[in-house]
Amino acid sequence: MTDPAGPPTAERVLAALATRWLGRAYEWLPSCGSTNDLAGARARAGAPAGLVIAADQQTAGRGRLGRSWHSPPGANLYLSILLRPERPPADIPPLTLLVGGALARALAGLGFAPRLKWPNDVQLVDETGRPRKVAGILTEMSTAGDRTLQVVVGVGLNVNGVDFPPDLAEIATSLRRSRGGAPLDRAAVLAAFLNALEPMLLDFERVGPGAAVAAFETYAALPAACLVTAPGRPGERLEGIALGVDADGALRLRDETGQIHRVLSGEIHT
Ligand code: BTN
């Protein structure tokens, strides 16, 4: 499972980076609880925007909606990026869409055919035509009134892992599993992602959430008919046709009566 040229140490990642500021401060750890927690702590201690923390393994990797993130050693990428966007808190959730767009662009550049599932999944279609999750994004922010203090964007990307626990076996994949063959170089995959992301972040600073929605839409796969559930509102289910994503990142859905709903946070089931 291990990378052909060794793990994504600072030396190897920095050698492949073409960015000006993103990832120029980079920490590689053999193991940690959650890279998002660590990046949050570094942020509170004054770390600069652009810091990337990556770990070979996480013992408490977190996903959205209170889920855990499968983080075995020696195989995948688990990383968190510290950002300090000069944008109000309301503009921040669409950053997840932007980062999905950057991941998709990088994977397309490496010869894969990624698609994005709103709001935070990157998928690859398997040989039976079924979409499988290859990456997920967890964006967390801290604010003071109408100011954004810090944003931590966590990315879990299944690169070389081929064995998944039973609950993921039917729904997850990795780059290696989808392509077959030799393991990929995690340092090269990480650098390709950061190289794609930096100019998109500059666009986001300049244009705002519209840049995120445009990046997402390039690779979006919106299901025609779907069911959407919302976190924290277990009884609430919306069924309808996904029409698109609004400028603020909300999913637009038309139910069977023709009424249009906007979903700011939720999960699509097809
Ligand atoms: C999801 O799809 O639910 C989001 C998954 C995000 C996982 C990454 S792995 C690196 C970072 N640290 C964490 O604890 N979570 C994110």
Side-chain angles (χ1 to χ4, degrees):
M1 269 203 306
T2 44
D3 328 47
T9 56
E11 191 188 7
R12 299 194 60 245
V13 172
L14 291 174
L17 273 187
T19 59
R20 212 163 50 78
W21 54 275
L22 184 61
R24 291 286 158 190
Y26 176 81
E27 286 182 43
W28 167 249
L29 304 163
S31 178
C32 75
S34 156
T35 57
N36 264 33
D37 291 346
L38 212 54
R42 295 276 194 283
R44 286 188 291 281
L51 169 70
V52 173
I53 300 185
D56 193 47
Q57 135 178 262
Q58 295 184 117
T59 53
R62 294 184 282 109
R64 267 180 91 234
L65 311 177
R67 296 183 183 131
S68 63
W69 186 258
H70 177 61
S71 310
N76 302 318
L77 283 168
Y78 319 113
L79 65 120
S80 297
I81 302 168
L82 170 59
L83 299 172
R84 299 187 184 279
E86 298 208 359
R87 289 256 148 207
D91 283 2
I92 301 305
L95 257 180
T96 297
L97 305 180
L98 185 97
V99 172
L103 270 169
R105 185 178 291 181
L107 296 183
L110 295 170
F112 295 90
R115 34 183 271 173
L116 298 175
K117 177 183 167 195
W118 183 91
N120 73 314
D121 289 4
V122 184
Q123 300 177 321
L124 295 174
V125 174
D126 72 12
E127 61 287 352
T128 70
R130 176 192 208 151
R132 287 171 174 264
K133 182 162 173 168
V134 71
I137 301 155
L138 177 67
T139 302
E140 298 176 314
M141 68 172 158
S142 116
T143 60
D146 59 1
R147 269 195 330 125
T148 302
L149 298 179
Q150 67 198 44
V151 178
V152 171
V153 184
V155 175
L157 171 59
N158 299 329
V159 180
N160 290 324
V162 281
D163 299 320
F164 292 95
D167 57 324
L168 298 178
E170 297 301 315
I171 54 175
T173 192
S174 67
L175 299 180
R176 183 179 183 194
R177 184 157 148 177
S178 105
R179 173 182 281 177
L184 288 92
D185 179 4
R186 282 182 289 174
V189 174
L190 174 54
F193 163 54
L194 296 175
N195 290 342
L197 179 58
E198 186 180 86
M200 295 167 78
L201 285 170
L202 296 177
D203 269 2
F204 178 79
E205 282 285 1
R206 222 167 20 88
V207 179
V213 173
F216 177 80
E217 281 180 336
T218 308
Y219 294 96
L222 284 177
C226 61
L227 165 72
V228 178
T229 53
R233 291 187 289 185
E236 254 175 65
R237 300 151 62 90
L238 270 174
E239 268 179 74
I241 309 283
L243 300 175
V245 175
D246 279 345
D248 59 358
L251 179 72
R252 214 169 50 254
L253 202 76
R254 188 177 58 227
D255 70 18
E256 61 183 18
T257 72
Q259 195 186 340
I260 307 286
H261 302 265
R262 278 170 36 80
V263 186
L264 269 166
S265 175
E267 186 168 29
I268 296 181
H269 312 262
T270 43

